[in-house]
Amino acid sequence: MSSPSSCRRQQHRFQHQRSRTNEYASATNGNTNSHSRDDMKQHPVAEKRFVQKQRRLGQNSNVFASVTSSSSSSSKTKGENKKQKSRTHASDGTTNTNNKKRAIPLSIWESRKGSNFKLQYALDGNKLRLLSPEEARDLSSNKNGAFSFDPLHLGRKKRAFLRQIDNIRDSFFPQKTSVTSDYWDYAKYRFTQRIASSCMTVLATQQMLAAIGLGASRSIPAAAALNWVLKDGLGRLGKLSVATNFGRSFDSDVKRLRFSSSLVYTGAVFIETITPFFPKHFLAIATVANVGKSIGITTGNVVRPPIQKTFALEENLGEIAAKTSAQQVLADNIGLALGVSVMKFQTKFVSLALQRAVPLALFPILASIDLVSIHKQLKSVQLRTVNKERAEIIAEAFVREKKLATQLQVAEKERLLFPARLDASALPLRVTSLGNACSTLDALASAFKDDVHRPYVLSYEPYVQKKRTVLSGIFMRDRKPLKYKGRALLALSHRATSKDVLQGILQVAHIRNLPFRKDLNEKEAYDWAVSESSRRAKADVNAFHNQIVSNGWQANLILLSSNERMPYFLDEKEIRSLLKLAHK
């Protein structure tokens, strides 16, 4: 610590320097003190030191003066600049307000790719422009509801994230307004099905490669190449048979063929999975499996466009097909990754003797996921076209409930494997040839006795129960016999229109709902059922057809398979002569 004497000396020195500074300041200002000059003349050494110190102080004061003057000038300029800026901002504000006043919002909006909200147009003077985000945010609370979603209150990063999500969605899915509502369930189940199918195919391929190595009598590369080429070449025969034999069935029974082909494909994959257990018969087993896979793949590729066509609302079938392919690639890659992961797992943690059993154990799980997903995706598709089965479901609801079934109700009632029979006592309908519908001369005369130019012929064939045998009595002891009214056979003329086909199907629906008359014998009941149902069908066909068209069904053409399109041609004179012969 410093002593009190040293503190007093420092204080005295400070006071002395301050007094000398004041004297110099008074001298520079022209107020020189003569008493201080006289003292300095008496002490020349002190005067010399004082002069040197004052020179230093004078330089510092000049510097300080220059700095203060510059700072004051800069502060002045800053103040002036601020005033000018405030004035310019005020003027800009007035111009902006004037611009905002000039911008008149219009009831025109624009939706762009990668955006969750709509941009509104405004009339700025004579120019049409889009409103800025700030202006759009102000207009988002208007009563017109111009914007469905306004992300402007979010940060820039969140808006960029939402934009990337929208870009990804636009890459894999079509616009919501361009497809029907049932597309999304179809896409969801199809994505799941493709993952399971791809994983199942990877494991089956692994089993086939293992079977080639186990069953090769020659070198493994040569045997693998020969067997693989042979199985592919012979398997293409299945693709050829499907493409040449089904024809119009691809259009009439789209769902049933798709589901049936998926069953065939799954069975083929199962055959490939068991090939390591029969390595010596690799070529025969692999060929059969490849034929089944060719049938499944070909049928799936053929029936996919009619299904995708029902989703298009803006004639955007190409867009839907492209987005479906993108989804398929992504799902197949996920399934491929899962299959490879299973292969690595079994290589590391499963013994060599049990490695062949792992794909076989996983097959029931993957096959169940595959088939259930296909079943759900086909059930979710609401086809607008009308085939025989859908027309029967619509006509049955019209006769019973006096209203049409919706597309969703029809999709739920459609059978994907076997044709629908509506209920336990239904009358199965078969569209067939005239020879099957009228197999005798009496049946032909009964069909054309009222009108030779009728567009269709409907005959009723009663059901004949088989006699019980000893074995049938044993197995059918506790079971009720099947109660069918019979079956209806419908033959179409070459002049039959779609409305005529609907009338024939509607007549069959009326026959199903006719009351049973005990007062008539078999022949009289047959004639009464045909005539009464025909009268009711003629009375209802116009209203039935109009309701079908108004409900969105495409009734301009009834889709029939190749086996159902067998129209008959007749000569009026010859038919009349046959009718006379029959009456004799």
Side-chain angles (χ1 to χ4, degrees):
M1 296 180 63
S2 60
S3 60
S5 60
S6 63
C7 291
R8 284 194 295 270
R9 284 194 297 270
Q10 291 178 0
Q11 186 176 4
H12 179 70
R13 189 180 299 111
F14 175 74
Q15 291 177 355
H16 180 71
Q17 291 178 356
R18 188 173 60 181
S19 62
R20 293 293 180 87
T21 304
N22 292 333
E23 290 175 357
Y24 174 76
S26 61
T28 55
N29 292 329
N31 298 324
T32 308
N33 194 346
S34 59
H35 179 69
S36 60
R37 288 181 179 178
D38 294 337
D39 292 339
M40 289 181 185
K41 288 179 180 179
Q42 295 177 2
H43 303 282
V45 178
E47 182 180 3
K48 185 177 180 180
R49 291 178 180 177
F50 177 77
V51 171
Q52 293 177 355
K53 186 180 292 186
Q54 293 305 319
R55 287 177 179 175
R56 290 195 298 270
L57 291 173
Q59 293 176 358
N60 294 333
S61 63
N62 293 330
V63 173
F64 176 75
S66 63
V67 171
T68 52
S69 63
S70 63
S71 63
S72 62
S73 63
S74 63
S75 63
K76 289 180 181 179
T77 54
K78 287 181 180 179
E80 293 176 356
N81 291 333
K82 287 182 179 179
K83 290 180 181 179
Q84 291 178 357
K85 286 183 179 180
S86 64
R87 292 174 183 173
T88 54
H89 280 303
S91 62
D92 291 339
T94 56
T95 55
N96 287 334
T97 54
N98 292 331
N99 288 334
K100 288 183 179 179
K101 289 180 180 179
R102 286 200 306 268
I104 302 174
L106 301 176
S107 298
I108 304 174
W109 292 272
E110 182 177 282
S111 178
R112 295 185 177 181
K113 182 179 179 182
S115 178
N116 278 328
F117 62 97
K118 299 176 183 178
L119 298 178
Q120 188 176 11
Y121 275 97
L123 187 62
D124 191 355
N126 292 327
K127 294 182 180 180
L128 189 68
R129 67 176 180 87
L130 286 172
L131 294 174
S132 63
E134 290 78 11
E135 293 171 326
R137 181 173 54 187
D138 295 336
L139 291 173
S140 61
S141 59
N142 60 358
K143 296 181 180 179
N144 294 330
F147 303 96
S148 59
F149 173 64
D150 184 14
L152 295 173
H153 65 281
L154 302 175
R156 183 178 299 175
K157 293 183 179 179
K158 291 185 178 180
R159 290 202 302 269
F161 176 74
L162 291 177
R163 193 176 296 110
Q164 292 299 325
I165 294 296
D166 289 340
N167 290 334
I168 294 174
R169 186 190 64 80
D170 292 335
S171 300
F172 288 95
F173 299 101
Q175 294 294 327
K176 291 183 179 180
T177 57
S178 64
V179 293
T180 56
S181 59
D182 53 339
Y183 169 80
W184 306 106
D185 289 336
Y186 171 82
K188 176 177 63 177
Y189 291 121
R190 189 175 187 277
F191 191 81
T192 306
Q193 179 262 327
R194 291 300 307 181
I195 292 176
S197 178
S198 178
C199 183
M200 189 167 55
T201 304
V202 170
L203 297 179
T205 304
Q206 178 201 7
Q207 293 288 87
M208 294 185 68
L209 292 175
I212 288 178
L214 292 174
S217 58
R218 295 172 292 175
S219 62
I220 292 179
L226 179 60
N227 291 332
W228 207 270
V229 170
L230 287 176
K231 82 172 184 64
D232 287 343
L234 297 175
R236 290 172 183 172
L237 297 176
K239 182 183 295 186
L240 180 63
S241 63
V242 169
T244 55
N245 292 329
F246 283 92
R248 292 201 177 188
S249 299
F250 290 123
D251 298 314
S252 60
D253 288 329
V254 172
K255 292 186 177 182
R256 186 173 294 114
L257 284 175
R258 177 68 183 94
F259 190 74
S260 301
S261 65
S262 66
L263 293 176
V264 174
Y265 184 87
T266 305
V269 174
F270 174 74
I271 294 175
E272 289 182 347
T273 307
I274 63 175
T275 48
F277 300 95
F278 308 97
K280 295 183 179 180
H281 305 283
F282 170 81
L283 183 58
I285 295 175
T287 301
V288 173
N290 208 18
V291 169
K293 290 180 68 175
S294 299
I295 293 174
I297 293 174
T298 303
T299 307
N301 293 334
V302 169
V303 302
R304 190 178 299 120
I307 293 177
Q308 293 175 350
K309 186 179 179 180
T310 62
F311 302 137
L313 293 178
E314 300 176 354
E315 296 297 331
N316 56 336
L317 180 59
E319 179 192 12
I320 295 174
K323 299 301 172 66
T324 303
S325 300
Q327 298 168 17
Q328 179 176 338
V329 171
L330 180 60
D332 288 346
N333 287 335
I334 294 175
L336 178 63
L338 291 176
V340 172
S341 300
V342 172
M343 292 169 57
K344 289 185 177 180
F345 174 81
Q346 72 176 7
T347 303
K348 292 183 179 180
F349 301 101
V350 181
S351 62
L352 185 61
L354 297 177
Q355 285 184 5
R356 291 180 294 171
V358 172
L360 189 61
L362 293 176
F363 176 81
I365 301 174
L366 297 174
S368 300
I369 296 174
D370 180 77
L371 294 177
V372 170
S373 299
I374 291 178
H375 186 273
K376 287 185 174 295
Q377 82 181 34
L378 293 177
K379 280 291 185 180
S380 64
V381 177
Q382 302 175 20
L383 295 174
R384 275 72 177 170
T385 55
V386 181
N387 63 353
K388 182 176 71 69
E389 182 180 354
R390 286 189 285 275
E392 284 189 88
I393 297 173
I394 297 170
E396 193 73 18
F398 179 80
V399 172
R400 290 185 177 183
E401 304 174 5
K402 301 302 179 182
K403 64 179 182 180
L404 292 186
T406 62
Q407 283 91 354
L408 180 60
Q409 293 174 346
V410 173
E412 292 176 351
K413 292 181 180 180
E414 279 185 287
R415 299 287 184 91
L416 299 182
L417 190 57
F418 300 105
R421 293 184 299 186
L422 302 176
D423 56 24
S425 61
L427 180 67
L429 172 62
R430 180 185 175 188
V431 181
T432 182
S433 62
L434 182 62
N436 292 328
C438 302
S439 57
T440 62
L441 181 60
D442 293 336
L444 186 64
S446 176
F448 290 101
K449 65 180 180 179
D450 296 330
D451 186 9
V452 179
H453 302 287
R454 61 190 313 163
Y456 66 87
V457 173
L458 179 64
S459 64
Y460 176 83
E461 183 177 300
Y463 175 75
V464 180
Q465 188 176 359
K466 293 182 179 180
K467 295 182 179 180
R468 284 195 175 188
T469 60
V470 177
L471 293 177
S472 64
I474 295 174
F475 291 105
M476 300 291 293
R477 182 176 299 174
D478 297 330
R479 297 183 183 180
K480 295 181 180 181
L482 297 177
K483 296 180 180 180
Y484 290 117
K485 293 180 181 178
R487 65 171 183 170
L489 300 174
L490 181 65
L492 299 174
S493 170
H494 71 284
R495 293 192 297 264
T497 63
S498 60
K499 190 175 181 180
D500 296 330
V501 179
L502 290 177
Q503 181 178 342
I505 295 174
L506 186 62
Q507 182 178 350
V508 175
H510 278 294
I511 292 177
R512 294 191 183 108
N513 292 274
L514 287 177
F516 179 74
R517 296 187 58 177
K518 297 182 179 179
D519 58 330
L520 302 177
N521 57 28
E522 183 178 353
K523 181 68 170 59
E524 294 173 346
Y526 173 84
D527 294 336
W528 174 80
V530 173
S531 61
E532 181 64 19
S533 61
S534 177
R535 183 187 65 81
R536 295 185 181 185
K538 288 180 180 179
D540 295 339
V541 65
N542 291 327
F544 180 62
H545 183 267
N546 293 334
Q547 289 187 27
I548 285 180
V549 175
S550 62
N551 286 1
W553 293 99
Q554 299 175 7
N556 55 343
L557 180 64
I558 307 301
L559 301 178
L560 299 175
S561 64
S562 301
N563 296 327
E564 295 171 340
R565 299 185 66 86
M566 293 178 286
Y568 62 86
F569 300 82
L570 55 86
D571 187 0
E572 182 179 351
K573 295 181 180 180
E574 186 174 353
I575 292 297
R576 292 186 185 277
S577 62
L578 287 176
L579 291 177
K580 293 179 181 180
L581 181 62
H583 287 301
K584 293 180 181 181

